[in-house]
Amino acid sequence: MVTLVVATTTDPASIGPASALLAMPGWQPGLSFEGITSFVNEDVRLLQHDKGIVEEDHLDKRWEQASSEVVHELIFLSKHTAVSNRPALTIHPIGVPHLRQGDVPLQGGKPGWAAPPSPRMAPWLKLLKTIAESRGLIPEFEITLEATHHGPETNTPTMFVEIELKVEDEEEGEGERESKSNRPAKPKPKSKSSVVVAVAIEVQLQQHQSKSKSKSIARRKRKRRLRLGFI
């Protein structure tokens, strides 16, 4: 089972954290499908596409069909916009359950639908705050949990991790869109907010992988004890 981290090259607040993540050790080029580029690091798959982040419906099923890998979690990297224009790092589930049949979703999804929320949103929120504090982003940046309000459609536990767009993020994104390739390039220095998101992703995924390995070892030990008649 794999985790999909999804970024779009059209959004500096999306490709910035993705590039910072790819700058970390262990990434290798993965398969390409439907014009989408992927990178592999253990049981994590980073996907890059060039459409709007809410336009790629059912990426979980499409990846499973292309790769034969089962997706158990989706993490979308995106920009955050708010009336206050205050810099922010936010997390939220996705869906538009407030819309009625016949309503037109303006930002993806379908009326009355909501994806299962990622069970890791609470620890992610705490981790984002901790790392943001250590990187000097607080009090400039607000760390918040948002309500669900858009797509894309998926049936896999999902969350969006968003950055309030800043001038520095705009600048870093322009070069990324022009240099997209099928292998991890050495990215330019990233904004603090992008690095915070990337580090949070790396830490959480490492913790998840460690827990999964521990459970796997425990299962193998239990099976061995059963075979030997100790249980």
Side-chain angles (χ1 to χ4, degrees):
M1 300 179 75
V2 299
T3 294
L4 297 187
V5 180
V6 184
T8 172
T9 59
T10 64
D11 178 1
S14 178
I15 200 63
S19 296
L21 191 60
L22 287 176
M24 297 177 181
W27 291 97
Q28 298 295 329
L31 67 85
S32 295
F33 73 108
E34 302 176 16
I36 298 174
T37 302
S38 76
F39 303 94
V40 176
N41 194 338
E42 295 193 18
D43 60 357
V44 182
R45 308 292 179 260
L46 175 60
L47 308 187
Q48 290 184 1
H49 62 77
D50 56 8
K51 295 182 180 179
I53 199 74
V54 300
E55 296 176 27
E56 291 286 0
D57 290 333
H58 306 297
L59 264 178
D60 49 349
K61 296 302 179 186
R62 289 158 57 196
W63 177 262
E64 289 176 4
Q65 291 173 359
S67 67
S68 299
E69 295 178 332
V70 176
V71 178
H72 75 96
E73 182 179 25
L74 272 166
I75 302 168
F76 287 90
L77 306 177
S78 179
K79 67 181 177 182
H80 171 71
T81 54
V83 176
S84 66
N85 287 323
R86 180 180 176 182
L89 299 173
T90 73
I91 290 176
H92 68 79
I94 62 171
V96 284
H98 57 288
L99 296 183
R100 298 180 179 179
Q101 206 65 33
D103 290 345
V104 179
L106 299 179
Q107 294 181 296
K110 64 181 179 181
W113 159 87
S118 169
R120 293 197 287 163
M121 283 195 294
W124 269 68
L125 195 63
K126 294 176 182 177
L127 185 61
L128 272 180
K129 183 177 181 181
T130 299
I131 298 175
E133 287 176 338
S134 70
R135 299 274 178 163
L137 290 185
I138 295 176
E140 178 188 4
F141 274 73
E142 185 178 29
I143 314 300
T144 65
L145 176 66
E146 279 193 297
T148 176
H149 55 285
H150 58 65
E153 285 185 54
T154 176
N155 294 314
T156 298
T158 300
M159 68 175 163
F160 261 64
V161 182
E162 300 183 342
I163 300 175
E164 176 72 25
L165 202 59
K166 299 182 69 180
V167 173
E168 63 195 41
D169 295 314
E170 290 271 15
E171 291 173 349
E172 77 183 29
E174 293 300 325
E176 297 299 339
R177 286 197 290 272
E178 294 174 1
S179 63
K180 181 185 175 187
S181 67
N182 196 37
R183 65 180 185 278
K186 289 185 178 180
K188 299 175 182 178
K190 299 300 163 192
S191 66
K192 285 184 179 180
S193 55
S194 292
V195 173
V196 165
V197 172
V199 170
I201 292 172
E202 180 76 5
V203 171
Q204 275 288 312
L205 293 178
Q206 284 179 354
Q207 290 176 350
H208 176 73
Q209 290 165 356
S210 177
K211 288 180 181 178
S212 296
K213 288 177 181 177
S214 296
K215 288 180 180 178
S216 178
I217 291 171
R219 283 195 297 268
R220 288 199 298 269
K221 286 182 177 179
R222 180 175 175 80
K223 287 180 180 178
R224 185 170 181 274
R225 288 172 64 84
L226 280 169
R227 286 198 303 269
L228 295 175
F230 292 134
I231 298 179

